[in-house]
Amino acid sequence: MSDVNHAKGIAPAIKPTEAKSIEAKSIEAKTIEPKTLAELQAMHTGTLMSRRQALLKCPETSTLTIADKASLFTPIRFKDTTVWQSAYRELKTELDKREHLPNKQERKALRQARAKRR
């Protein structure tokens, strides 16, 4: 019967316990550990870009106290903290020193140009 529902485009029922875990994952902010400049310099450019994406996915605001926001020992969760701002600034500074990685459209154009030359 589930094959028939799947073929009709009807989604299978989600168990209540699964629904709670899905909701908790979507609401819970992902934590990102602060890194030193030396650690950032040692990272591969692709890893730095992944870190940038994770930082940008952080929610804008939080309900943390001012003391929590100023602490450098708390994991990075929200964009309105000084920890997030300094982590993003340091990351951008390091990425500015690195080589350019072409995005999907640029890679496609490069492939097509190579194909035309053949």
Side-chain angles (χ1 to χ4, degrees):
M1 175 112 177
S2 63
D3 293 334
V4 173
N5 288 339
H6 184 67
K8 291 181 180 179
I10 301 172
I14 298 175
K15 297 176 185 174
T17 55
E18 291 175 359
K20 288 180 184 177
S21 66
I22 292 171
E23 289 175 12
K25 288 179 184 176
S26 63
I27 294 172
E28 182 181 312
K30 183 178 179 182
T31 60
I32 304 164
E33 294 299 321
K35 301 281 185 189
T36 64
L37 285 174
E39 290 174 322
L40 290 176
Q41 291 170 352
M43 288 181 168
H44 184 269
T45 305
T47 306
L48 290 174
M49 292 299 292
S50 296
R51 182 173 174 80
R52 179 181 173 272
Q53 287 291 2
L55 284 170
L56 289 175
K57 285 182 182 179
C58 289
E60 290 290 332
T61 59
S62 68
T63 57
L64 296 175
T65 64
I66 293 172
D68 289 338
K69 289 181 182 181
S71 174
L72 291 175
F73 300 108
T74 58
I76 302 167
R77 290 191 187 113
F78 301 98
K79 289 183 182 177
D80 66 345
T81 61
T82 56
V83 179
W84 185 92
Q85 293 166 356
S86 65
Y88 192 74
R89 185 176 45 254
E90 290 170 355
L91 178 70
K92 291 294 285 180
T93 302
E94 183 59 32
L95 281 171
D96 287 341
K97 299 175 191 173
R98 301 290 180 99
E99 75 278 5
H100 172 71
L101 292 178
N103 63 24
K104 186 176 181 179
Q105 292 87 9
E106 292 169 337
R107 289 191 310 267
K108 181 179 178 181
L110 290 171
R111 274 195 315 274
Q112 290 174 343
R114 281 194 310 263
K116 283 183 181 180
R117 284 184 277 182
R118 291 183 183 185

